[in-house]
Amino acid sequence: MVAATNQPEADRLLSFHIQRAEGLRNDRGIFESHCEEVAAYAMPMHRNTFLSHGWTMPYQKKTDKQFDPTATIAALRFAAVMESLLTPQAQTWHRLVPHDPMLKQNRQVREYLERVNDLLYRYRNRPAANFVAQMQLVYLGLGLYGNGSIFVDSHESGDGLRYRNIHLGEIYFSEDHQGRIDTFYRFFKMRAQEAVDRYGDALPDSIKKAAANPIMGKDEYVKYDFLHCVFPRSDYDPVRLDAKGMPYASLHIALNDRKLVRESGYRSFPCPIGRYMQAPGEIYGRGPAMLVLPGIKVLNEEKKALIKQAHRALDPVLLVHDDGVLPPTVRSGATISGGVNADGRPLVQPLLTGTLAAGENAMELERQAINDAFLISLFQILLKTPQMTATEVMERMREKGMLISPTVGRQNTELLGPMIERELEVLSMQGKLPPPPPIFQQAGLAYAVEYDSPMSRMQRAENASGFMRSLDTAINFARETGDMSALDWFNIDVAMPALQDINGAPVSWTSTPEQVAAKRQARAEAQQQKQAVENAAGISNAMETVGSLAKTSQE
């Protein structure tokens, strides 16, 4: 890390990036108004965070515009669904394989990548890494605003990884010519003492003085504006060992004094960003909440009207004859004199205002559309129809995989792939990775990521579903005709391990090929012994019969 200097070149650099950050923020003005509207109706605790770069006065009450919580609940369930599909906590949801197909048969390379994969899993799931909590916020951002970012860096102790979700209200990013996000600018605030702990003497004098002489009730709680810029370095030199020897530059700027307080770099892009769905010509994604925002607003208004209608039904307006007498007091257990005439006809009656059923039906239609957008309905199918055969379960999995793949599958390449690359780079710089085999090092350490999450298994369920349908057809044919030759086309020894993998069966719960062969041999030997016993019994019976006949003939 290099502290800032006051040279004219540094001043021009600061001015350029500050202006560029402001330009990206201005270009996103319309989109931020959409995000604010989504926050108001779907996640009220995020309100005003897009107008103040992610920071608002803590603990404000922000639910005054929300009458129906359906969208909020759906967004939280969407985050849970995404986590269970892509990065389940109790499962190693990816594996590393050599990029060269020839090396896939090399046991040393496979064992090395397996050790690296296990090591990555352990560091990622350390409590200090905070991976699970931050990824849940990433998925929540995807559901609400269509964008989720995760900053991956070395733990402050220098041992392991550290993750942090950056709220969309703080971060602005841009793409390269191939549509990949390679630049971001993050606005954030820090108190004076926090800034000193992080940047030290490189800070402007005003912030250092505020930290050295805090005045309770004033400077102690003042927050100062900072800007973090990360972008591809145009003067990148791979042979250098300083910041210019890293592909991505990193600048930290104290905005109040326009001073560069830290300059460093990254060997890989430190903040992978996932986008849910993009409109033509747009950089930022759009999430499910944005797609059904009209329905969310309509549902909110319907709930408001239904509350009024229910209030009228429970505490109705009374219609009374204007005879100069004060209207009766209606309370529980009260007796109203003159409420009926001599014939028993009511003289006081409530104003009829309709029923609640129409409003409830209209609200249910909007709720269904919202749950469909957040993928909730897809995962209620198995709950509604629990009595299904294995083939029906496979078919449902295949259908869900087909429906989810276009919108969710891109997270593997845009969010999780760069994140894994960043994690491995950080652990490599810390010297945590084991030495690779020479043959793999000669191949350039090129690896590929194979995803083994429930989402990837759903995408592969097409093969399993096709196999089960074909097997059912063959079984029915054999049952109807008595001809078993149709079953000869199925290689069960190849199909069963693949089906176990698709269904997520733990490897330790299944038999190895050697164990399967041993079981078959034991079963064959048992069958031979049984046959031998039966044969021996038959021979013994035959000998007894012969002996009896011989004895009879002698007599």
Side-chain angles (χ1 to χ4, degrees):
M1 294 179 291
V2 180
T5 61
N6 291 323
Q7 298 176 352
E9 181 181 354
D11 293 337
R12 288 193 298 269
L13 181 67
L14 291 185
S15 298
F16 170 79
H17 287 290
I18 292 174
Q19 290 176 6
R20 189 183 184 192
E22 292 290 346
L24 291 175
R25 182 171 64 180
N26 293 333
D27 291 342
R28 207 177 75 176
I30 297 177
F31 183 77
E32 290 190 339
S33 66
H34 295 337
C35 293
E36 279 291 341
E37 199 169 17
V38 168
Y41 291 101
M43 194 59 60
M45 64 182 178
H46 290 180
R47 280 180 61 186
N48 303 325
T49 54
F50 293 92
L51 303 176
S52 57
H53 310 316
W55 185 88
T56 59
M57 185 63 66
Y59 311 117
Q60 289 180 316
K61 181 180 178 180
K62 300 180 179 182
T63 56
D64 52 295
K65 285 189 175 183
Q66 187 186 51
F67 286 84
D68 187 89
T70 298
T72 302
I73 297 172
L76 295 174
R77 289 179 176 175
F78 172 85
V81 167
M82 293 288 284
E83 180 187 8
S84 63
L85 287 178
L86 296 175
T87 56
Q89 299 181 31
Q91 179 181 334
T92 305
W93 43 268
H94 67 79
R95 50 178 171 255
L96 304 178
V97 297
H99 191 272
D100 187 350
M102 299 298 295
L103 292 180
K104 289 184 178 181
Q105 308 303 322
N106 187 288
R107 185 175 182 84
Q108 286 186 337
V109 174
R110 290 173 56 194
E111 289 180 347
Y112 166 75
L113 290 176
E114 199 170 287
R115 289 198 304 272
V116 171
N117 200 63
D118 292 341
L119 186 69
L120 181 58
Y121 180 78
R122 291 199 302 271
Y123 275 107
R124 182 187 295 142
N125 289 279
R126 278 182 170 184
N130 203 25
F131 174 77
V132 173
Q134 297 304 305
M135 284 303 295
Q136 289 174 348
L137 295 177
V138 172
Y139 296 138
L140 187 62
L142 281 172
L144 293 170
Y145 317 114
N147 302 272
S149 58
I150 185 77
F151 192 88
V152 185
D153 205 3
S154 175
H155 193 271
E156 61 183 1
S157 65
D159 181 18
L161 302 167
R162 179 69 179 175
Y163 303 84
R164 181 176 181 180
N165 165 251
I166 300 179
H167 180 59
L168 185 60
E170 300 180 18
I171 190 170
Y172 302 83
F173 49 82
S174 63
E175 301 174 328
D176 62 10
H177 66 285
Q178 293 184 325
R180 297 174 301 184
I181 298 174
D182 65 348
T183 300
F184 77 82
Y185 292 85
R186 179 195 172 206
F187 291 89
F188 62 100
K189 295 176 178 288
M190 298 182 71
R191 294 188 177 91
Q193 187 57 52
E194 293 173 338
V196 169
D197 293 340
R198 184 169 184 179
Y199 300 115
D201 292 336
L203 288 168
D205 292 338
S206 58
I207 299 179
K208 290 190 289 186
K209 289 180 180 179
N213 301 294
I215 302 174
M216 295 302 296
K218 185 179 177 182
D219 290 351
E220 178 72 14
Y221 301 100
V222 172
K223 284 183 174 277
Y224 296 88
D225 293 311
F226 290 86
L227 175 64
H228 185 198
C229 318
V230 175
F231 52 92
R233 187 180 290 279
S234 58
D235 55 352
Y236 165 58
D237 185 356
V239 300
R240 297 186 57 159
L241 300 178
D242 59 0
K244 291 187 178 181
M246 300 183 184
Y248 293 93
S250 173
L251 306 178
H252 290 253
I253 303 172
L255 289 177
N256 300 79
D257 296 85
R258 299 174 68 90
K259 182 179 180 182
L260 181 64
V261 296
R262 176 177 293 176
E263 180 180 5
S264 59
Y266 300 101
R267 299 188 183 279
S268 57
F269 192 65
C271 189
I273 299 172
R275 292 170 287 187
Y276 188 78
M277 185 180 297
Q278 283 181 272
E282 295 183 352
I283 296 177
Y284 294 91
R286 294 176 183 247
M290 288 186 166
L291 301 179
V292 292
L293 181 58
I296 295 174
K297 295 169 67 176
V298 168
L299 178 60
N300 202 63
E301 293 299 318
E302 289 175 343
K303 183 65 173 289
K304 189 191 303 184
L306 191 67
I307 292 172
K308 293 179 181 178
Q309 182 71 1
H311 190 198
R312 292 191 186 102
L314 296 173
D315 190 10
V317 176
L318 299 179
L319 301 178
V320 298
H321 176 63
D322 186 8
D323 56 0
V325 181
L326 292 176
T329 300
V330 181
R331 66 179 184 274
S332 178
T335 301
I336 303 176
S337 300
V340 296
N341 61 9
D343 298 329
R345 184 171 62 86
L347 300 179
V348 179
Q349 55 185 329
L351 175 65
L352 299 179
T353 56
T355 64
L356 303 178
E360 292 174 347
N361 291 337
M363 290 176 60
E364 187 59 33
L365 293 176
E366 299 298 340
R367 288 195 179 104
Q368 183 64 41
I370 293 170
N371 287 331
D372 286 345
F374 280 101
L375 308 180
I376 307 302
S377 302
L378 289 175
F379 294 88
Q380 293 176 340
I381 297 175
L382 296 179
L383 297 178
K384 293 179 180 178
T385 54
Q387 303 299 327
M388 292 189 296
T389 65
T391 303
E392 290 173 334
V393 172
M394 285 290 183
E395 188 67 21
R396 292 295 174 87
M397 287 181 60
R398 182 187 68 85
E399 292 174 357
K400 288 195 293 184
M402 291 174 61
L403 292 172
I404 296 173
S405 179
T407 53
V408 180
R410 70 177 292 174
Q411 305 309 321
N412 287 337
T413 56
E414 192 169 61
L415 175 64
L416 300 181
M419 185 188 75
I420 294 171
E421 179 183 351
R422 172 65 180 163
E423 292 169 330
L424 292 174
E425 190 268 325
V426 172
L427 293 178
S428 176
M429 294 298 296
Q430 294 177 355
K432 302 297 183 182
L433 300 183
I439 187 174
F440 189 48
Q441 197 161 10
Q442 292 173 3
L445 303 177
Y447 66 90
V449 180
E450 288 186 355
Y451 296 98
D452 193 29
S453 64
M455 177 66 215
S456 63
R457 288 197 296 272
M458 282 185 185
Q459 292 172 332
R460 290 184 291 151
E462 175 69 27
N463 295 334
S465 179
F467 177 82
M468 296 300 295
R469 289 197 304 268
S470 301
L471 183 60
D472 283 345
T473 302
I475 291 174
N476 291 332
F477 176 82
R479 183 183 298 115
E480 294 294 332
T481 63
D483 182 3
M484 309 301 291
S485 61
L487 298 176
D488 297 338
W489 291 92
F490 298 91
N491 191 334
I492 300 298
D493 287 342
V494 175
M496 284 308 300
L499 290 173
Q500 292 169 353
D501 183 56
I502 291 173
N503 290 327
V507 176
S508 59
W509 295 5
T510 62
S511 299
T512 64
E514 292 77 13
Q515 291 172 334
V516 171
K519 290 179 181 179
R520 290 177 177 176
Q521 182 178 358
R523 188 162 54 246
E525 291 176 354
Q527 186 65 28
Q528 290 176 357
Q529 292 177 358
K530 180 180 178 181
Q531 187 65 37
V533 171
E534 292 177 351
N535 292 340
I539 293 173
S540 176
N541 292 334
M543 293 295 294
E544 290 179 359
T545 301
V546 171
S548 300
L549 292 174
K551 183 177 180 181
T552 301
S553 62
Q554 291 176 358
E555 292 176 353

